[in-house]
Coordinates of all heavy atoms in Angstrom, one line a residue:
M1 N -12.0 4.1 5.3 CA -10.9 5.1 5.0 C -11.0 5.4 3.5 O -11.1 4.5 2.7 CB -9.6 4.5 5.4 CG -8.4 5.3 5.0 SD -6.8 4.7 5.5 CE -6.7 5.4 7.1
P2 N -10.8 6.6 3.2 CA -11.0 7.0 1.8 C -9.8 6.6 0.9 O -9.9 6.6 -0.3 CB -11.1 8.5 1.8 CG -10.6 8.9 3.1 CD -10.8 7.8 4.0
I3 N -8.6 6.2 1.5 CA -7.5 5.7 0.7 C -7.6 4.2 0.5 O -7.7 3.5 1.5 CB -6.1 6.1 1.3 CG1 -6.0 7.6 1.4 CG2 -5.0 5.5 0.5 CD1 -6.0 8.3 0.1
V4 N -7.6 3.7 -0.7 CA -7.8 2.3 -1.0 C -6.4 1.8 -1.5 O -5.8 2.4 -2.4 CB -8.9 2.0 -2.0 CG1 -9.0 0.5 -2.3 CG2 -10.2 2.5 -1.5
V5 N -6.0 0.6 -1.0 CA -4.7 0.0 -1.4 C -5.0 -1.1 -2.4 O -5.8 -2.1 -2.0 CB -3.9 -0.5 -0.2 CG1 -2.6 -1.1 -0.7 CG2 -3.7 0.7 0.8
D6 N -4.5 -1.1 -3.6 CA -4.8 -2.1 -4.6 C -3.6 -3.0 -4.9 O -3.3 -3.4 -6.0 CB -5.2 -1.4 -5.9 CG -6.6 -0.8 -5.9 OD1 -7.4 -1.3 -5.2 OD2 -6.7 0.3 -6.5
I7 N -3.0 -3.5 -3.8 CA -1.8 -4.4 -4.0 C -2.3 -5.7 -4.6 O -1.6 -6.3 -5.4 CB -1.1 -4.6 -2.6 CG1 -0.4 -3.3 -2.2 CG2 -0.1 -5.8 -2.7 CD1 0.3 -3.4 -0.9
D8 N -3.5 -6.2 -4.2 CA -4.0 -7.4 -4.8 C -4.1 -7.4 -6.3 O -3.7 -8.4 -6.9 CB -5.4 -7.7 -4.2 CG -5.4 -8.2 -2.8 OD1 -4.4 -8.7 -2.4 OD2 -6.5 -8.1 -2.1
V9 N -4.5 -6.3 -6.8 CA -4.6 -6.1 -8.3 C -3.2 -6.3 -8.9 O -3.0 -7.1 -9.9 CB -5.1 -4.8 -8.7 CG1 -5.1 -4.5 -10.2 CG2 -6.6 -4.6 -8.1
M10 N -2.2 -5.6 -8.4 CA -0.8 -5.7 -8.9 C -0.2 -7.1 -8.7 O 0.5 -7.6 -9.6 CB 0.1 -4.7 -8.3 CG -0.3 -3.2 -8.7 SD -0.5 -3.0 -10.5 CE 1.1 -3.2 -11.1
L11 N -0.5 -7.7 -7.6 CA 0.0 -9.1 -7.3 C -0.6 -10.1 -8.4 O 0.1 -10.9 -8.9 CB -0.4 -9.6 -5.9 CG 0.4 -9.0 -4.8 CD1 -0.2 -9.4 -3.5 CD2 1.8 -9.5 -4.9
A12 N -1.9 -9.9 -8.7 CA -2.5 -10.8 -9.7 C -1.9 -10.5 -11.1 O -1.6 -11.5 -11.8 CB -4.0 -10.5 -9.7
R13 N -1.7 -9.3 -11.4 CA -1.1 -9.0 -12.7 C 0.3 -9.5 -12.8 O 0.8 -9.9 -13.9 CB -1.0 -7.5 -12.9 CG -2.4 -6.9 -13.2 CD -2.3 -5.4 -13.4 NE -3.6 -4.8 -13.6 CZ -3.8 -3.5 -13.6 NH1 -2.9 -2.6 -13.4 NH2 -5.1 -3.1 -13.8
R14 N 1.1 -9.5 -11.7 CA 2.5 -10.0 -11.8 C 2.6 -11.5 -11.4 O 3.7 -12.0 -11.4 CB 3.3 -9.2 -10.8 CG 3.3 -7.7 -11.0 CD 3.9 -7.3 -12.3 NE 4.0 -5.9 -12.5 CZ 3.3 -5.1 -13.3 NH1 2.3 -5.7 -14.0 NH2 3.5 -3.8 -13.3
K15 N 1.4 -12.1 -11.1 CA 1.4 -13.5 -10.8 C 2.4 -13.8 -9.6 O 3.3 -14.7 -9.7 CB 1.7 -14.4 -12.0 CG 0.6 -14.3 -13.0 CD 0.9 -15.2 -14.2 CE -0.3 -15.2 -15.1 NZ -0.2 -14.5 -16.3
M16 N 2.3 -13.0 -8.6 CA 3.2 -13.0 -7.4 C 2.4 -13.3 -6.2 O 1.3 -12.8 -6.0 CB 4.0 -11.7 -7.3 CG 5.1 -11.7 -6.3 SD 5.9 -10.0 -6.3 CE 6.6 -9.9 -7.9
S17 N 3.0 -14.0 -5.2 CA 2.3 -14.3 -4.0 C 2.6 -13.2 -3.0 O 3.6 -12.4 -3.1 CB 2.8 -15.6 -3.4 OG 4.1 -15.5 -2.9
V18 N 1.8 -13.1 -1.9 CA 2.1 -12.1 -0.9 C 3.4 -12.4 -0.2 O 4.2 -11.4 0.1 CB 0.9 -12.1 0.2 CG1 1.2 -11.3 1.4 CG2 -0.4 -11.7 -0.5
G19 N 3.7 -13.6 0.0 CA 5.0 -14.0 0.7 C 6.2 -13.6 -0.2 O 7.2 -13.1 0.4
E20 N 6.1 -13.8 -1.5 CA 7.2 -13.4 -2.3 C 7.4 -11.9 -2.3 O 8.5 -11.4 -2.3 CB 6.9 -13.9 -3.8 CG 8.1 -13.6 -4.7 CD 7.8 -14.0 -6.2 OE1 6.8 -14.7 -6.4 OE2 8.6 -13.6 -7.0
L21 N 6.3 -11.2 -2.4 CA 6.4 -9.7 -2.4 C 7.0 -9.2 -1.1 O 7.9 -8.4 -1.1 CB 5.0 -9.1 -2.6 CG 4.9 -7.6 -2.6 CD1 5.8 -7.0 -3.7 CD2 3.5 -7.1 -2.8
A22 N 6.5 -9.8 0.0 CA 7.1 -9.4 1.3 C 8.6 -9.6 1.4 O 9.3 -8.7 1.8 CB 6.3 -10.1 2.4
D23 N 9.0 -10.8 0.9 CA 10.4 -11.1 0.9 C 11.2 -10.1 0.1 O 12.3 -9.6 0.5 CB 10.7 -12.5 0.4 CG 10.3 -13.6 1.4 OD1 10.2 -13.3 2.6 OD2 10.2 -14.8 1.0
R24 N 10.7 -9.9 -1.1 CA 11.4 -9.0 -2.1 C 11.5 -7.5 -1.6 O 12.4 -6.8 -1.9 CB 10.9 -9.1 -3.5 CG 11.1 -10.5 -4.0 CD 10.6 -10.7 -5.4 NE 11.2 -9.8 -6.4 CZ 10.8 -9.8 -7.6 NH1 9.8 -10.5 -8.1 NH2 11.4 -8.9 -8.5
V25 N 10.4 -7.1 -0.9 CA 10.3 -5.7 -0.4 C 11.1 -5.6 0.9 O 11.6 -4.5 1.2 CB 8.8 -5.3 -0.3 CG1 8.7 -3.9 0.5 CG2 8.2 -5.2 -1.6
G26 N 11.2 -6.6 1.6 CA 11.9 -6.6 2.9 C 11.0 -6.2 4.1 O 11.5 -5.6 5.0
I27 N 9.7 -6.6 4.0 CA 8.8 -6.4 5.1 C 8.2 -7.7 5.5 O 8.3 -8.7 4.7 CB 7.7 -5.3 4.8 CG1 6.8 -5.8 3.7 CG2 8.3 -4.0 4.6 CD1 5.6 -4.8 3.4
T28 N 7.6 -7.8 6.7 CA 7.0 -9.1 7.1 C 5.7 -9.3 6.4 O 5.0 -8.3 6.0 CB 6.7 -9.1 8.6 OG1 5.7 -8.1 8.9 CG2 8.0 -8.8 9.4
P29 N 5.3 -10.6 6.1 CA 4.0 -10.8 5.5 C 2.9 -10.2 6.3 O 1.9 -9.8 5.8 CB 4.0 -12.4 5.5 CG 5.4 -12.8 5.4 CD 6.1 -11.8 6.3
A30 N 3.0 -10.2 7.7 CA 2.0 -9.6 8.5 C 1.8 -8.1 8.2 O 0.7 -7.6 8.1 CB 2.3 -9.9 10.0
N31 N 2.9 -7.4 8.1 CA 2.8 -6.0 7.8 C 2.3 -5.7 6.4 O 1.6 -4.8 6.2 CB 4.2 -5.3 8.0 CG 4.5 -5.1 9.5 OD1 3.6 -5.1 10.3 ND2 5.8 -4.9 9.8
L32 N 2.7 -6.6 5.5 CA 2.1 -6.4 4.1 C 0.6 -6.7 4.1 O -0.1 -6.0 3.5 CB 2.8 -7.4 3.2 CG 2.4 -7.3 1.7 CD1 2.6 -5.9 1.1 CD2 3.2 -8.3 0.8
A33 N 0.2 -7.7 4.9 CA -1.3 -8.0 5.0 C -2.0 -6.8 5.6 O -3.1 -6.5 5.1 CB -1.5 -9.2 5.9
V34 N -1.5 -6.1 6.6 CA -2.1 -4.9 7.2 C -2.3 -3.9 6.1 O -3.3 -3.2 6.0 CB -1.3 -4.4 8.4 CG1 -1.7 -3.0 8.8 CG2 -1.4 -5.4 9.6
L35 N -1.3 -3.6 5.3 CA -1.3 -2.6 4.2 C -2.3 -3.1 3.2 O -3.2 -2.3 2.7 CB 0.1 -2.5 3.6 CG 0.2 -1.4 2.5 CD1 -0.2 -0.1 3.0 CD2 1.6 -1.4 2.0
K36 N -2.2 -4.3 2.8 CA -3.0 -4.9 1.7 C -4.5 -4.9 2.0 O -5.4 -4.6 1.2 CB -2.6 -6.3 1.4 CG -3.2 -7.0 0.3 CD -2.6 -8.4 0.0 CE -3.1 -9.4 0.9 NZ -4.4 -9.9 0.7
N37 N -4.8 -5.1 3.3 CA -6.2 -5.2 3.7 C -6.8 -3.9 4.2 O -7.9 -3.8 4.7 CB -6.4 -6.2 4.9 CG -6.0 -7.6 4.4 OD1 -6.3 -8.0 3.2 ND2 -5.4 -8.4 5.2
G38 N -6.1 -2.8 4.0 CA -6.6 -1.5 4.3 C -6.6 -1.1 5.7 O -7.3 -0.2 6.1
R39 N -5.9 -1.8 6.6 CA -5.9 -1.5 8.0 C -4.7 -0.6 8.4 O -4.6 -0.2 9.5 CB -5.8 -2.8 8.8 CG -7.1 -3.6 8.6 CD -7.1 -4.8 9.6 NE -5.8 -5.5 9.7 CZ -5.5 -6.7 9.1 NH1 -6.4 -7.2 8.3 NH2 -4.3 -7.2 9.2
A40 N -3.8 -0.3 7.5 CA -2.6 0.6 7.8 C -3.1 2.0 7.9 O -3.9 2.5 7.2 CB -1.6 0.4 6.7
K41 N -2.5 2.7 8.9 CA -2.7 4.1 9.1 C -1.7 5.0 8.3 O -1.9 6.2 8.1 CB -2.7 4.5 10.6 CG -3.7 3.8 11.4 CD -5.1 4.2 11.1 CE -6.1 3.5 11.9 NZ -7.4 3.8 11.5
A42 N -0.6 4.4 7.9 CA 0.5 5.1 7.2 C 1.3 4.1 6.5 O 1.3 2.9 6.7 CB 1.3 5.9 8.2
V43 N 2.1 4.7 5.5 CA 3.1 3.9 4.8 C 4.3 4.7 4.6 O 4.2 5.9 4.2 CB 2.5 3.3 3.5 CG1 2.1 4.4 2.5 CG2 3.5 2.3 2.8
R44 N 5.4 4.2 4.8 CA 6.7 4.9 4.6 C 6.9 5.0 3.1 O 6.6 4.1 2.4 CB 7.9 4.2 5.3 CG 7.8 4.2 6.8 CD 9.1 3.5 7.3 NE 9.0 3.4 8.7 CZ 9.5 4.3 9.6 NH1 10.1 5.4 9.1 NH2 9.4 4.1 10.9
F45 N 7.5 6.2 2.7 CA 7.8 6.3 1.3 C 8.8 5.3 0.8 O 8.8 4.9 -0.3 CB 8.3 7.8 1.0 CG 7.2 8.8 0.9 CD1 7.5 10.1 1.3 CD2 5.9 8.5 0.5 CE1 6.5 11.1 1.2 CE2 5.0 9.5 0.4 CZ 5.2 10.8 0.8
T46 N 9.7 4.9 1.7 CA 10.7 3.9 1.3 C 10.0 2.6 1.0 O 10.4 1.9 0.1 CB 11.8 3.7 2.4 OG1 11.2 3.5 3.7 CG2 12.7 4.9 2.5
T47 N 9.0 2.2 1.8 CA 8.2 1.0 1.6 C 7.5 1.1 0.3 O 7.4 0.2 -0.5 CB 7.3 0.7 2.8 OG1 8.1 0.6 4.0 CG2 6.5 -0.6 2.6
L48 N 6.8 2.3 0.1 CA 6.1 2.5 -1.2 C 7.0 2.4 -2.4 O 6.6 1.8 -3.4 CB 5.3 3.8 -1.1 CG 4.4 4.2 -2.3 CD1 3.3 3.1 -2.5 CD2 3.8 5.6 -2.1
A49 N 8.1 3.0 -2.3 CA 9.1 2.9 -3.4 C 9.6 1.5 -3.6 O 9.7 1.1 -4.8 CB 10.3 3.8 -3.1
A50 N 9.8 0.7 -2.6 CA 10.2 -0.7 -2.8 C 9.1 -1.5 -3.4 O 9.3 -2.3 -4.3 CB 10.6 -1.3 -1.4
L51 N 7.9 -1.3 -3.0 CA 6.7 -1.9 -3.6 C 6.6 -1.6 -5.1 O 6.4 -2.5 -5.9 CB 5.4 -1.5 -2.9 CG 5.2 -2.1 -1.5 CD1 4.0 -1.4 -0.8 CD2 4.9 -3.6 -1.6
C52 N 6.8 -0.3 -5.4 CA 6.7 0.1 -6.8 C 7.9 -0.5 -7.6 O 7.7 -1.0 -8.8 CB 6.7 1.6 -6.9 SG 5.2 2.4 -6.3
E53 N 9.1 -0.6 -7.0 CA 10.2 -1.2 -7.7 C 10.0 -2.7 -8.0 O 10.2 -3.1 -9.1 CB 11.5 -1.0 -6.9 CG 12.7 -1.5 -7.6 CD 14.0 -1.3 -6.8 OE1 14.0 -0.5 -5.8 OE2 15.0 -1.8 -7.3
V54 N 9.6 -3.4 -7.0 CA 9.3 -4.9 -7.2 C 8.2 -5.1 -8.1 O 8.3 -6.0 -9.0 CB 9.1 -5.5 -5.8 CG1 8.7 -7.0 -5.9 CG2 10.4 -5.4 -4.9
L55 N 7.1 -4.4 -8.0 CA 5.9 -4.6 -8.8 C 6.0 -3.9 -10.2 O 5.1 -4.0 -11.0 CB 4.7 -4.2 -8.1 CG 4.3 -5.0 -6.8 CD1 3.2 -4.4 -6.0 CD2 4.0 -6.4 -7.2
E56 N 7.1 -3.1 -10.4 CA 7.2 -2.3 -11.6 C 6.0 -1.5 -11.9 O 5.3 -1.7 -13.0 CB 7.6 -3.3 -12.8 CG 8.9 -4.0 -12.5 CD 9.2 -5.0 -13.6 OE1 8.4 -5.2 -14.6 OE2 10.3 -5.5 -13.6
C57 N 5.6 -0.6 -11.0 CA 4.4 0.2 -11.1 C 4.7 1.6 -10.5 O 5.7 1.8 -10.0 CB 3.2 -0.5 -10.5 SG 3.3 -0.6 -8.7
Q58 N 3.7 2.4 -10.6 CA 3.7 3.7 -10.0 C 2.9 3.7 -8.7 O 2.0 2.9 -8.6 CB 3.1 4.7 -11.0 CG 3.9 4.9 -12.3 CD 5.3 5.5 -12.0 OE1 5.4 6.5 -11.3 NE2 6.3 4.9 -12.6
P59 N 3.1 4.7 -7.8 CA 2.4 4.7 -6.6 C 0.8 4.8 -6.8 O 0.1 4.2 -6.1 CB 2.8 6.0 -5.9 CG 4.2 6.2 -6.4 CD 4.2 5.7 -7.8
G60 N 0.4 5.5 -7.9 CA -1.0 5.6 -8.2 C -1.6 4.2 -8.7 O -2.8 4.1 -8.7
D61 N -0.7 3.3 -9.0 CA -1.2 1.9 -9.3 C -1.6 1.2 -8.1 O -2.4 0.2 -8.1 CB -0.2 1.1 -10.1 CG 0.1 1.7 -11.5 OD1 -0.8 2.3 -12.1 OD2 1.2 1.6 -11.9
L62 N -1.0 1.6 -6.9 CA -1.2 0.9 -5.7 C -2.2 1.6 -4.7 O -2.9 1.0 -3.9 CB 0.1 0.7 -4.9 CG 1.2 -0.1 -5.6 CD1 2.5 -0.1 -4.8 CD2 0.7 -1.5 -5.9
L63 N -2.3 2.9 -4.9 CA -3.1 3.7 -3.9 C -4.1 4.6 -4.7 O -3.8 5.1 -5.8 CB -2.2 4.7 -3.1 CG -1.1 4.1 -2.3 CD1 -0.2 5.2 -1.7 CD2 -1.7 3.2 -1.2
R64 N -5.3 4.6 -4.2 CA -6.3 5.5 -4.8 C -7.2 6.1 -3.8 O -7.4 5.5 -2.7 CB -7.1 4.8 -5.9 CG -8.0 3.6 -5.5 CD -8.6 2.9 -6.6 NE -9.0 1.6 -6.2 CZ -10.1 1.3 -5.7 NH1 -11.1 2.2 -5.5 NH2 -10.4 0.0 -5.3
W65 N -7.8 7.2 -4.0 CA -8.7 7.9 -3.1 C -10.1 7.7 -3.5 O -10.5 7.8 -4.7 CB -8.4 9.4 -3.1 CG -9.2 10.2 -2.1 CD1 -9.0 10.3 -0.8 CD2 -10.4 10.9 -2.5 NE1 -10.0 11.1 -0.3 CE2 -10.9 11.5 -1.3 CE3 -11.1 11.1 -3.6 CZ2 -12.0 12.2 -1.2 CZ3 -12.3 11.9 -3.6 CH2 -12.7 12.4 -2.4
E66 N -11.0 7.3 -2.5 CA -12.4 7.2 -2.7 C -13.1 8.1 -1.7 O -12.6 8.3 -0.6 CB -12.9 5.8 -2.5 CG -12.5 4.8 -3.7 CD -13.1 3.5 -3.5 OE1 -13.7 3.2 -2.5 OE2 -13.0 2.7 -4.5
T67 N -14.3 8.6 -2.1 CA -15.0 9.4 -1.1 C -15.3 8.5 0.1 O -15.8 7.4 0.0 CB -16.3 9.8 -1.8 OG1 -16.0 10.5 -3.0 CG2 -17.1 10.7 -0.9
G68 N -15.1 9.1 1.3 CA -15.4 8.4 2.5 C -16.9 8.4 2.8 O -17.7 9.0 2.2
T69 N -17.2 7.7 3.9 CA -18.6 7.6 4.3 C -18.9 8.9 5.1 O -18.0 9.5 5.7 CB -18.8 6.4 5.2 OG1 -17.9 6.5 6.4 CG2 -18.5 5.1 4.5
P70 N -20.2 9.3 5.1 CA -20.5 10.5 5.8 C -20.1 10.4 7.3 O -20.2 9.4 7.9 CB -22.1 10.5 5.7 CG -22.4 9.7 4.5 CD -21.3 8.7 4.5
G71 N -19.6 11.5 7.8 CA -19.1 11.6 9.2 C -17.7 11.1 9.4 O -17.1 11.2 10.5
E72 N -17.1 10.6 8.4 CA -15.7 10.1 8.5 C -14.8 11.4 8.4 O -15.0 12.2 7.5 CB -15.4 9.2 7.3 CG -14.0 8.5 7.4 CD -13.9 7.4 6.4 OE1 -14.2 7.7 5.2 OE2 -13.4 6.4 6.7
T73 N -13.8 11.4 9.3 CA -12.9 12.6 9.3 C -11.5 12.1 9.0 O -11.1 11.0 9.2 CB -12.9 13.3 10.6 OG1 -12.5 12.4 11.7 CG2 -14.3 13.8 11.0
V74 N -10.7 13.1 8.6 CA -9.3 12.8 8.3 C -8.5 13.3 9.5 O -8.7 14.4 9.9 CB -8.8 13.5 7.0 CG1 -7.3 13.3 6.8 CG2 -9.6 13.0 5.8
D75 N -7.6 12.5 10.0 CA -6.7 12.9 11.1 C -5.7 13.8 10.6 O -4.8 13.4 9.8 CB -6.1 11.6 11.7 CG -5.2 11.9 12.9 OD1 -5.1 13.1 13.3 OD2 -4.5 11.0 13.4
S76 N -5.7 15.1 11.0 CA -4.8 16.1 10.5 C -3.4 15.8 10.9 O -2.5 16.3 10.3 CB -5.2 17.5 11.0 OG -5.2 17.5 12.4
G77 N -3.1 15.0 11.9 CA -1.8 14.7 12.3 C -1.1 13.6 11.5 O 0.1 13.3 11.5
A78 N -1.9 12.9 10.7 CA -1.4 11.8 9.9 C -0.5 12.2 8.8 O 0.3 11.4 8.2 CB -2.6 11.0 9.3
A79 N -0.4 13.5 8.4 CA 0.4 13.9 7.3 C 1.8 14.4 7.8 O 2.5 15.0 7.0 CB -0.3 15.0 6.6
S80 N 2.2 14.1 9.0 CA 3.4 14.5 9.6 C 4.6 13.9 8.8 O 4.6 12.8 8.4 CB 3.5 14.1 11.0 OG 4.8 14.3 11.5
A81 N 5.6 14.8 8.5 CA 6.7 14.3 7.7 C 8.0 14.5 8.6 O 9.1 14.5 8.1 CB 6.9 15.1 6.4
G82 N 7.8 14.5 9.9 CA 8.9 14.7 10.8 C 9.7 13.4 11.0 O 9.4 12.4 10.4
P83 N 10.7 13.4 11.9 CA 11.5 12.3 12.1 C 10.6 11.1 12.6 O 9.7 11.2 13.3 CB 12.4 12.7 13.3 CG 12.4 14.2 13.2 CD 11.1 14.6 12.7
G84 N 11.0 9.9 12.1 CA 10.3 8.7 12.4 C 9.1 8.5 11.5 O 8.4 7.5 11.7
S85 N 8.8 9.4 10.6 CA 7.6 9.2 9.7 C 7.9 8.3 8.6 O 9.0 8.2 8.1 CB 7.1 10.5 9.2 OG 6.7 11.3 10.2

């Protein structure tokens, strides 16, 4: 996936554990691990905002875009901003 999540970098800078971050953000350690390991298909803006607040950073410090591998496509439905997103 061309979006890379750099939570590990911010955790190291803040000397914070995954468990502590999960507790302070209000998500399960398992869900944080999915996001941290690049397996998440989406992230709620409220979760991203909470991560930024706890880690005292900007969204761009946590997310970056990299060129995907040849043949990789972007799911056009993934950008939905409707109810439940």
Side-chain angles (χ1 to χ4, degrees):
M1 175 179 271
I3 301 295
V4 178
V5 181
D6 287 326
I7 290 176
D8 284 338
V9 173
M10 295 307 296
L11 284 172
R13 288 182 183 166
R14 303 297 186 253
K15 297 182 171 105
M16 188 180 298
S17 71
V18 171
E20 180 183 353
L21 179 60
D23 285 344
R24 292 179 62 184
V25 169
I27 61 176
T28 66
N31 283 340
L32 182 57
V34 167
L35 181 60
K36 184 174 83 70
N37 295 324
R39 296 188 316 260
K41 298 292 181 190
V43 61
R44 292 180 186 271
F45 283 150
T46 54
T47 301
L48 183 58
L51 286 166
C52 290
E53 182 176 352
V54 170
L55 293 170
E56 299 178 352
C57 66
Q58 295 294 314
D61 296 327
L62 300 176
L63 304 173
R64 62 187 160 88
W65 180 83
E66 286 188 352
T67 304
T69 58
E72 188 173 45
T73 60
V74 175
D75 180 7
S76 61
S80 172
S85 294

